Amino acid sequence: MTSYTLDALSPVFGATVSGLDLREPVDQATADSLIDDLTRYRVLVLPGQKLDHADHVRFSRHFGPLDVYPVARYVVPEHPEVLKISNIFENGEPIGLYDGDDQEEWHTDYSWKKVMSRASLLYSAVAPEEGGDTVFADATTAYDELPADMKERIEDLRAVHSMAYLVDQELKTNPHKKPLTPEERERTPDVEQPLVRRHPVTGRKSLLLGSMIISGIVGLGEAESTRLLDELHAHATADRYLYRHHWSVGDLVIWDNDATMHTRTACDHRLHHRLLYRTTVM
């Protein structure tokens, strides 16, 4: 096993990992240790890496099988497991997945799938000087600290996660967003997810929310559903539960999608370029 060090990022979750060069193959004992650390800390930051796409994919596979993003124009052709996320434009079009300069959308990756993502690994190739931070929320500790009556109220509730609803919301504010094609809509049907999920390894409960992808709560009227979701979001995104990551080139950040949610802060694409590559573990 290759030794490395961990330093906590916040009082409740997150850690920086130092001492690993991921251009070198990682042995299974080291990978198993990192998987345990991810389960414990929920977010891991590995700064100073110099990865190509093959390195990124090889390391990511230690965490499980990788998915291919359903919108082909956003993936790396030679490595379709790698999703491009960018505000850089060429010929009037963004070169990767782009949610507009100002949109902040709290979400858990692939909550719109029946079987959600286990983890995500995001690598920075071009980092903006200002804006474009990724903010993580510890949905596990946030659930732990809910009042008992709220825990009882939401225990068995389910929410509708809808890629079609999300894109429709984004189209209202982002002129560069592309509508889903009929084939993409067919591949991404609405799914019901529990508001309270249980971690597959630790058994701990956490909140499963989304500020733009949830079209409503099953069995509740629109007004009541909106009030409840707003209350839960306000609680889960309180400063106590947040870690904000300001990107530097070479940062690799790994997060546990079974225990967290995240968003991106505003970033002016005319002044500050941003290019990241993400693999998604299923």
Side-chain angles (χ1 to χ4, degrees):
M1 174 176 165
T2 304
S3 63
Y4 58 86
T5 59
L6 287 168
D7 295 292
L9 285 167
S10 83
V12 293
F13 78 125
T16 298
V17 178
S18 304
L20 293 177
D21 181 349
L22 299 182
R23 291 174 297 182
E24 301 297 325
V26 172
D27 61 84
Q28 194 57 50
T30 303
D32 289 343
S33 180
L34 286 167
I35 292 169
D36 289 343
D37 291 331
L38 179 62
T39 301
R40 175 184 175 188
Y41 288 100
R42 300 185 277 291
V43 174
L44 299 178
V45 177
L46 290 82
Q49 301 299 319
K50 298 178 180 179
L51 306 181
D52 60 23
H53 297 312
D55 296 330
H56 190 178
V57 170
R58 182 183 65 244
F59 176 69
S60 300
R61 290 194 188 283
H62 285 291
F63 293 83
L66 303 183
D67 191 70
V68 174
Y69 194 74
V71 184
R73 61 183 173 271
Y74 296 143
V75 304
V76 175
E78 301 81 8
H79 295 277
E81 308 92 340
V82 179
L83 169 67
K84 296 180 288 184
I85 299 172
S86 184
N87 66 356
I88 299 171
F89 281 66
E90 291 181 357
N91 300 318
E93 296 289 337
I95 64 172
L97 186 64
Y98 170 66
D99 292 327
D101 285 1
D102 300 319
Q103 177 182 303
E104 295 190 15
E105 182 227 340
W106 285 104
H107 64 284
T108 293
D109 290 338
Y110 285 14
S111 73
W112 44 269
K113 287 195 169 191
K114 288 183 179 180
V115 178
M116 295 185 295
S117 165
R118 172 71 181 89
S120 298
L121 297 90
L122 189 59
Y123 178 70
S124 175
V126 177
E129 292 183 8
E130 183 179 316
D133 298 345
T134 300
V135 187
F136 297 93
D138 182 355
T140 305
T141 305
Y143 173 82
D144 289 344
E145 297 181 355
L146 279 173
D149 60 342
M150 178 61 82
K151 288 181 179 178
E152 183 177 357
R153 180 184 178 190
I154 66 176
E155 179 67 26
D156 297 318
L157 292 180
R158 300 179 68 82
V160 177
H161 290 241
S162 171
M163 175 64 81
Y165 180 80
L166 169 64
V167 172
D168 288 345
Q169 299 307 303
E170 291 177 321
L171 287 169
K172 296 176 182 178
T173 58
N174 180 6
H176 302 286
K177 192 72 179 181
K178 302 291 186 184
L180 293 179
T181 66
E183 294 82 7
E184 289 166 351
R185 283 183 177 265
E186 187 174 345
R187 291 202 305 269
T188 56
D190 294 356
V191 298
E192 291 183 12
Q193 303 285 12
L195 275 181
V196 179
R197 55 189 169 166
R198 190 179 292 275
H199 196 280
V201 178
T202 67
R204 294 181 67 185
K205 294 179 178 179
S206 68
L207 293 169
L208 178 55
L209 302 171
S211 60
M212 292 178 69
I213 199 166
I214 294 178
S215 60
I217 297 175
V218 177
L220 299 186
E222 182 177 352
E224 184 181 1
S225 176
T226 298
R227 283 195 302 270
L228 178 55
L229 289 171
D230 287 348
E231 184 176 352
L232 292 172
H233 269 287
H235 171 78
T237 58
D239 287 346
R240 166 171 169 73
Y241 308 122
L242 302 185
Y243 163 66
R244 179 168 178 159
H245 186 75
H246 181 68
W247 291 94
S248 296
V249 172
D251 287 350
L252 177 69
V253 178
I254 312 170
W255 61 90
D256 185 343
N257 278 309
D258 285 315
T260 64
M261 61 179 178
H262 60 281
T263 189
R264 183 220 63 194
T265 66
C267 185
D268 189 335
H269 79 278
R270 297 163 300 180
L271 302 175
H272 302 288
H273 285 172
R274 187 176 190 265
L275 173 61
L276 303 108
Y277 296 104
R278 191 186 82 195
T279 54
T280 306
V281 180
M282 303 307 293

